[in-house]
Amino acid sequence: MRPLYLSCCSSSSRYLSPITFFSSSSSSSLLAKPILPTFRTNPGFKFTQSRSRLSIRNCSSISAKPSSELRKKKGSLDSSKPEDKKLRALRQLFSKPGIGIDAYVIPSQDAHQSEFIAECYMRRGFISGFTGSAGTAVVTKDKAALWTDGRYFLQGEKQLNSSWILMRSGNLGVPTASEWLNDVLAPGAKVGIDPFLFSFDAAEELKEDIARKDHELVYLYDVNLVDEIWKESRPGPPNSPIRVHELKYAGVDVVSKLSFLRSQLVDAGCSAIVVSMLDEIAWLLNLRGGDVPNSPVMYAYLVVTMDDTKLFVDSSKVTPEVSHHLKNGGVELRPYGSILSEIESLALKGTELWLDPSSINAAIANTYKAAGDKHLESLGSEDNSKSKNPKVSNGSSGQSWGPCGVYRASPISLAKAVKNPYELEGMRNAHLRDAAALAQFWTWLEDEIHKGAKLTEVDVSDKLLEFRQQQDGFIDTSFDTISGSGANGAIIHYRPEPGNCSIVDSKKLFLLDSGAQYVDGTTDITRTVHFGEPTAHEKECFTRVLQGHIALDEAVFPATTVGFVLDAFARSFLWKIGLDYRHGTGHGVGAALNVHEGPQSISFRYGNTTPLQKGMIVSNEPGYYEDHAFGIRIENLLHVKEANTKYRFGGIGYLAFEKLTFVPIQKKMVEVSLLSDAEIDWLNDYHSQVWEKVSPLVEGSASQWLWDNTRPLVRQ
């Protein structure tokens, strides 16, 4: 699904820097015990704005409508065309009292570093018109540029108007945002950010990078400049009720999870932790929400000490059932906007606080640091110079200590990623119901196309939703369906919109990437089909993608293997003819949670050194995209399991994959002459499993479709 583009140097990804190891917990425990490394934080902060404000802005936005106008090649504003009204209004704020900046950086994230966000936080989309899930906008007094990765190059070309420069991140010669700022700004400029929208790590990295040209990073705590021009058209905050995630799906109760977390605090020498990632809070408290489209989470912060647990959330979302559930777990409620006051209070008490610098926002980190400095001053610290910067220990633990805190990866991330038996069972069951819905859908779609129906990409997406809604336990889609006919399939994260999409063409390839949120699991599947006769080139590309998919599916590897080692398995067949794709091969998936989950991944980017572990779930989604022509992707979800190998070299266990997704792969797209006998056997065995597992769940024409599409492939 929506393949991830993972970069070892991207500060926006929270899973790329730490090395994560794993220690097996006792057989009676359903929680993985992670051994997590520490982060080294850059020394010192430079505050340029008052930190007196101790409340969080809470609200939601309109979806920016895409523009069909292509980006102009010119690097700055075209004087022959009127300046973008939003950019003009934004620039007028630069010189206002209390602001005084020369450039403003607008990231994609909300205050919780979420990938998918509520509409009111889609500030980058509002200001630029670019609606992809990843990207950073930078606006100076006379230029505007947007950085995005290879998944969104074509989308950026379509949606950005002539006032914007599209920066294709990762391409040769394309500068980073900080490099570009250092190039276009005169020395000594001031660059503004909203510190709630940057992780501590990202803000520190940006500050350090632009300091090379004597630029200053200005933290605008009290105002977000995009919000100032958005004004009344900005939607209100999300207010969906929270629900309890039942124990039969979660597998472990809240008290046990909190006990596990507190044991991690003891091991780290901390007395409290601040959790800001929404999926971590939902998993830890066995709650689910509806604040974010496609992701069953709620906007909240969590503070866990050795003695109490406080959930900072809008109380209007808390139902009586949820209130009772939290009370039983020993969880107290606090207003969402009071989190900074709580952080300041903890710091003034000298609390040794655990902060994940890759996810905690800079506003929280800076508040904690400032209050911690006050605490040390009140104690008459013997060495005030040490209180200004976190100390970096040279000991074996590698921990980075502040005045009263430790900066390291959240222990919840890995524990959540390693699914327990109840979570795995829910995922298996959800995938089978989802497969039944897809069998019904493909039966309908092929019949309609063969009858000559003129269906748009949106019609197809909406009909798939109808079939899924008929399945027990359906909650929502797990992401916006990618329904791409012909050239639109080459836009890796294409999103069709009513009135601005194509008719599904029976003479072109059709790529459908979709997923669902069920009460017991999360699904994500991509299939590429042709309703007529594919060309020889299309068949060769499809078959090589399939060969890579098979190679990864059949991989057996040491238990210490990290994802980037496996990435080449999926690309090697494309490489043989000089082809490739611009996204990672696999991402983690939550259990009835976010469809993109870390810390694990399978990607050509080697910055993520988290080894794959038994119980993790990853996607297997190689592809190939021919710009302005077609796109191909084949995606299943896989569960990491123990492999029964003849030997255990070095005493290390080995791992393999178990398939969770059971939907036919179109055989007419396969060039059989390219497949080995073993690869044909894999495809036939897979289709045999699809029939065995899914046929009891469908009937009538869907059953016949499933039978026809799971018959063995025979070499002619």
Side-chain angles (χ1 to χ4, degrees):
M1 152 267 159
R2 301 175 57 90
L4 283 172
Y5 181 93
L6 300 173
S7 169
C8 62
C9 58
S10 170
S11 60
S12 65
S13 174
R14 66 182 301 257
Y15 300 119
L16 303 184
S17 297
I19 300 175
T20 305
F21 299 93
F22 180 78
S23 174
S24 297
S25 57
S26 65
S27 59
S28 61
S29 174
L30 293 177
L31 285 170
K33 182 173 183 179
I35 302 176
L36 293 166
T38 58
F39 285 77
R40 294 191 335 183
T41 59
N42 294 320
F45 293 84
K46 186 175 182 181
F47 296 107
T48 58
Q49 207 60 20
S50 169
R51 294 178 302 276
S52 61
R53 188 175 187 273
L54 295 177
S55 62
I56 296 290
R57 298 183 297 278
N58 181 16
C59 90
S60 271
S61 88
I62 58 172
S63 294
K65 295 297 181 183
S67 168
S68 59
E69 188 174 355
L70 292 179
R71 176 187 67 92
K72 299 294 183 182
K73 293 183 179 179
K74 194 167 182 178
S76 59
L77 292 181
D78 186 344
S79 59
S80 66
K81 290 184 176 293
E83 181 184 3
D84 183 297
K85 291 182 179 180
K86 294 176 184 176
L87 289 177
R88 182 170 65 249
L90 182 68
R91 290 177 173 123
Q92 289 173 349
L93 297 175
F94 285 9
S95 59
K96 294 289 185 180
I99 298 177
I101 58 174
D102 302 289
Y104 193 58
V105 184
I106 307 152
S108 300
Q109 290 79 14
D110 56 21
H112 303 267
Q113 298 301 299
S114 306
E115 179 187 12
F116 302 137
I117 60 179
E119 279 191 292
C120 63
Y121 301 128
M122 294 179 181
R123 299 174 173 104
R124 190 223 60 224
F126 172 79
I127 195 66
S128 69
F130 171 70
T131 60
S133 66
T136 299
V138 181
V139 180
T140 70
K141 291 179 178 179
D142 64 348
K143 295 179 176 65
L146 184 134
W147 280 256
T148 192
D149 60 60
R151 297 170 297 169
Y152 296 107
F153 290 168
L154 294 180
Q155 183 174 341
E157 290 176 2
K158 283 189 171 185
Q159 294 184 333
L160 294 177
N161 66 33
S162 60
S163 295
W164 289 86
I165 309 166
L166 175 60
M167 295 291 191
R168 295 172 172 82
S169 296
N171 278 8
L172 188 64
V174 176
T176 64
S178 55
E179 289 170 342
W180 184 75
L181 283 167
N182 285 342
D183 182 56
V184 303
L185 295 178
K190 294 185 177 182
V191 178
I193 66 169
D194 182 339
F196 291 95
L197 306 185
F198 281 75
S199 71
F200 170 66
D201 271 354
E204 287 295 286
E205 181 181 350
L206 178 59
K207 180 169 68 174
E208 181 179 309
D209 287 346
I210 65 174
R212 293 168 184 161
K213 285 294 184 75
D214 296 323
H215 301 319
E216 179 184 359
L217 188 64
V218 178
Y219 297 92
L220 299 174
Y221 286 85
D222 298 318
V223 61
N224 182 285
L225 301 190
V226 176
D227 295 352
E228 290 297 295
I229 64 172
W230 206 342
K231 296 182 178 178
E232 292 80 10
S233 62
R234 190 180 184 200
N239 58 0
S240 298
I242 302 170
R243 59 185 169 87
V244 175
H245 188 56
E246 294 183 58
L247 187 59
K248 64 181 179 180
Y249 305 131
V252 182
D253 61 59
V254 175
V255 172
S256 298
K257 289 182 178 181
L258 290 173
S259 177
F260 155 79
L261 182 57
R262 290 186 172 108
S263 72
Q264 296 293 297
L265 293 179
V266 172
D267 291 346
C270 298
S271 52
I273 185 171
V274 179
V275 185
S276 64
M277 294 298 288
L278 304 184
D279 62 332
E280 292 186 4
I281 296 171
W283 178 84
L284 189 67
L285 299 183
N286 290 344
L287 296 175
R288 297 295 186 265
D291 285 351
V292 178
N294 312 126
S295 300
V297 296
M298 60 282 176
Y299 278 106
Y301 293 95
L302 188 70
V303 175
V304 180
T305 72
M306 299 306 296
D307 301 315
D308 55 41
T309 303
K310 296 177 182 178
L311 178 65
F312 296 79
V313 68
D314 182 351
S315 61
S316 67
K317 304 173 187 176
V318 180
T319 66
E321 180 187 11
V322 169
S323 180
H324 179 72
H325 169 80
L326 291 173
K327 184 177 181 180
N328 287 343
V331 181
E332 304 172 25
L333 292 176
R334 294 290 185 273
Y336 177 83
S338 66
I339 182 63
L340 291 189
S341 297
E342 179 71 14
I343 298 302
E344 184 178 49
S345 175
L346 289 169
L348 291 174
K349 296 175 184 176
T351 304
E352 295 174 353
L353 195 58
W354 184 330
L355 299 172
D356 183 338
S358 66
S359 62
I360 206 75
N361 65 55
I364 287 178
N366 293 355
T367 296
Y368 177 62
K369 174 65 175 62
D373 286 348
K374 291 180 182 178
H375 171 69
L376 288 182
E377 290 172 5
S378 69
L379 295 178
S381 173
E382 296 179 0
D383 187 356
N384 286 328
S385 63
K386 292 182 180 180
S387 72
K388 294 178 181 178
N389 304 304
K391 296 187 295 183
V392 178
S393 169
N394 293 322
S396 59
S397 68
Q399 290 180 343
S400 301
W401 293 92
C404 50
V406 60
Y407 299 84
R408 60 187 292 183
S410 167
I412 304 169
S413 177
L414 183 58
K416 174 172 55 66
V418 178
K419 292 0 181 224
N420 64 54
Y422 292 86
E423 292 171 319
L424 287 172
E425 183 64 17
M427 289 291 280
R428 293 188 184 100
N429 291 336
H431 275 79
L432 292 181
R433 299 197 305 277
D434 201 53
L438 282 159
Q440 295 165 345
F441 163 78
W442 284 114
T443 302
W444 168 83
L445 181 58
E446 289 187 4
D447 184 56
E448 290 296 308
I449 295 294
H450 292 152
K451 289 191 300 186
K454 300 297 182 181
L455 300 170
T456 68
E457 295 161 330
V458 170
D459 293 334
V460 170
S461 177
D462 290 346
K463 192 66 177 182
L464 174 56
L465 176 59
E466 289 182 23
F467 283 114
R468 280 191 163 123
Q469 287 173 329
Q470 297 170 17
Q471 295 297 318
D472 291 341
F474 176 84
I475 302 292
D476 193 4
T477 55
S478 57
F479 55 95
D480 291 329
T481 297
I482 300 169
S483 171
S485 178
N488 290 338
I491 303 173
I492 298 173
H493 277 195
Y494 174 69
R495 177 185 175 185
E497 294 186 352
N500 188 25
C501 63
S502 298
I503 298 292
V504 177
D505 192 332
S506 63
K507 298 179 181 179
K508 296 179 180 179
L509 285 176
F510 176 66
L511 186 153
L512 185 74
D513 186 347
S514 67
Q517 295 286 2
Y518 295 94
V519 68
D520 52 348
T522 302
T523 70
D524 180 4
I525 174 176
T526 309
R527 290 293 183 265
T528 307
V529 303
H530 202 296
F531 301 106
E533 291 299 323
T535 66
H537 177 59
E538 291 169 339
K539 290 180 67 174
E540 179 181 13
C541 294
F542 181 94
T543 304
R544 290 186 178 277
V545 170
L546 175 60
Q547 287 176 299
H549 181 96
I550 293 171
L552 181 57
D553 180 90
E554 291 194 312
V556 177
F557 48 94
T560 55
T561 302
V562 296
F564 69 77
V565 174
L566 300 178
D567 184 77
F569 287 38
R571 298 179 191 270
S572 60
F573 295 91
L574 287 167
W575 286 350
K576 289 178 180 178
I577 59 171
L579 299 180
D580 203 348
Y581 50 96
R582 295 190 185 104
H583 59 73
T585 300
H587 57 84
V589 179
L593 260 179
N594 291 358
V595 74
H596 281 168
E597 177 181 85
Q600 75 278 15
S601 71
I602 299 174
S603 173
F604 63 98
R605 300 285 177 164
Y606 51 81
N608 187 344
T609 51
T610 301
L612 297 181
Q613 299 171 23
K614 177 185 175 183
M616 287 180 170
I617 293 174
V618 294
S619 65
N620 174 8
E621 51 182 311
Y624 173 67
Y625 312 90
E626 202 151 288
D627 290 355
H628 311 294
F630 63 83
I632 295 168
R633 188 159 63 249
I634 303 171
E635 178 188 17
N636 285 349
L637 296 192
L638 305 174
H639 157 232
V640 182
K641 66 176 183 179
E642 289 182 353
N644 184 22
T645 56
K646 183 177 180 180
Y647 304 105
R648 295 169 62 91
F649 181 78
I652 297 174
Y654 279 69
L655 300 173
F657 293 117
E658 170 195 324
K659 286 177 278 290
L660 294 174
T661 307
F662 293 98
V663 175
I665 296 169
Q666 193 179 52
K667 290 176 290 183
K668 81 156 73 169
M669 287 298 303
V670 178
E671 178 50 64
V672 182
S673 65
L674 293 176
L675 296 183
S676 68
D677 289 343
E679 289 167 335
I680 292 175
D681 288 343
W682 181 95
L683 186 59
N684 289 338
D685 178 69
Y686 177 64
H687 282 155
S688 176
Q689 292 182 60
V690 171
W691 173 254
E692 178 184 349
K693 294 175 180 293
V694 183
S695 61
L697 305 178
V698 295
E699 56 187 16
S701 59
S703 179
Q704 185 62 50
W705 178 90
L706 193 67
W707 172 262
D708 293 340
N709 284 274
T710 55
R711 294 310 86 211
L713 182 67
V714 179
R715 192 187 298 278
Q716 299 297 326

